[in-house]
Amino acid sequence: MGFLDKLFGKSSTEETEKMENVKLAIVYYSQTGTNYQLAKWAEESAKEAGAEVKLVKAAELAPEAAIASNPAWKAHIEATKDVPEASSEDVEWADAIIFSMSTRFGGIPAQMKQFLDMQGGLWGAGKTINKVVSAMSSAGNPHGGQEASLLSLYTSLMHWGAIIVPPGYSDASMFAAGGNPYGVSTAIDGEGNMVDDVEEAAKHQAKRTVDIAARVKAGN
């Protein structure tokens, strides 16, 4: 095991095998595709680690007129029309959940907020307790509220009794991605492209989430 492996806690073969028992739901909301891409990278990494993964999206709430006014928004909705909408059944099924979402005035999108608000039945039955959770975000500029949106989401998840797994600085890729310890985040340029090198960081965050979920599941 190399120095960086020791420093950043790379999983052993035994730990990787434990990940095969983890059920991971990736719940995203994406207007034009950025958070969908983050979710896809997370899905790829989690599957490589052996987890069973469901990729689902928060239901769209925006009026059709608003969507139609933005060609990129409309195109993304059409391109992802076959992605299932997230449900309470996905939350109950999962050992771990990764959220990916854009920021809205330093908070979370209404679409994701409604999804969280609809989980009152599971919360009341104690079925959100000890879910292992983590999150990623994006905004239109480097200081557009990415950190605040993640903290806002995590506040709700504390009410769930969930176990929050931030990436921190547990891997060198986090520094290349801008160093957001709460969750991988990126800014978007005027053409809708990510300006940060976040692919490896997103993949690391997914693997770390699955790893911690495997440890929690084994302990239970």
Side-chain angles (χ1 to χ4, degrees), residues 8 16 22 50 54-55 60 64 70-71 94 110 128 137 139 144 150 160-161 172 177-178 190 193 206 210 213 218:
F8 293 114
T16 300
V22 172
K54 287 185 179 181
L55 178 66
E60 183 59 78
E64 184 59 38
N70 184 331
T128 59
S137 66
L150 292 174
W160 280 20
N193 302 307
V210 172

Side-chain angles (χ1 to χ4, degrees), residues 8-25:
F8 293 114
K10 297 294 185 182
S11 298
S12 67
T13 301
E14 181 179 356
E15 289 167 344
T16 300
E17 289 173 352
K18 291 179 182 177
M19 296 185 201
E20 296 177 0
N21 297 319
V22 172
K23 296 176 180 177
L24 172 69

Side-chain angles (χ1 to χ4, degrees), residues 83-215:
V83 177
E85 289 188 352
S87 68
S88 297
E89 286 74 19
D90 299 318
V91 174
E92 185 170 5
W93 168 86
D95 301 308
I97 307 169
I98 293 174
F99 297 88
S100 182
M101 62 192 179
S102 51
T103 185
R104 292 291 186 273
F105 302 109
I108 65 178
Q111 293 83 351
M112 189 65 79
K113 181 66 165 61
Q114 174 167 280
F115 175 74
L116 294 177
D117 289 347
M118 293 299 291
Q119 308 317 313
L122 292 182
W123 169 81
K127 293 183 177 180
T128 59
I129 295 172
N130 291 343
K131 298 290 183 182
V132 173
V133 298
S134 196
M136 301 180 283
S137 66
S138 68
N141 58 71
H143 301 287
Q146 296 95 318
E147 293 184 0
S149 65
L150 292 174
L151 293 173
S152 178
L153 175 71
Y154 288 156
T155 297
S156 294
L157 299 179
M158 289 177 193
H159 285 256
W160 280 20
I163 298 170
I164 298 170
V165 180
Y169 301 107
S170 54
D171 188 79
S173 62
M174 295 303 301
F175 295 98
N180 185 345
Y182 310 117
V184 171
S185 65
T186 184
I188 310 302
D189 65 20
E191 302 300 319
N193 302 307
M194 299 185 201
V195 300
D196 302 288
D197 182 11
V198 296
E199 179 177 353
E200 291 308 313
K203 290 179 176 179
H204 165 71
Q205 185 171 344
K207 187 175 181 182
R208 171 169 160 76
T209 303
V210 172
D211 178 30
I212 299 303
R215 297 168 189 262

Side-chain angles (χ1 to χ4, degrees), residues 34-110:
T34 300
N35 288 277
Y36 174 66
Q37 181 61 74
L38 292 173
K40 290 293 290 182
W41 283 330
E43 177 188 33
E44 178 185 342
S45 179
K47 285 183 174 179
E48 287 177 355
E52 182 180 353
V53 183
K54 287 185 179 181
L55 178 66
V56 293
K57 62 188 177 187
E60 183 59 78
L61 301 177
E64 184 59 38
I67 296 169
S69 70
N70 184 331
W73 192 354
K74 185 174 181 180
H76 178 66
I77 286 181
E78 179 62 25
T80 57
K81 63 183 180 182
D82 293 331
V83 177
E85 289 188 352
S87 68
S88 297
E89 286 74 19
D90 299 318
V91 174
E92 185 170 5
W93 168 86
D95 301 308
I97 307 169
I98 293 174
F99 297 88
S100 182
M101 62 192 179
S102 51
T103 185
R104 292 291 186 273
F105 302 109
I108 65 178

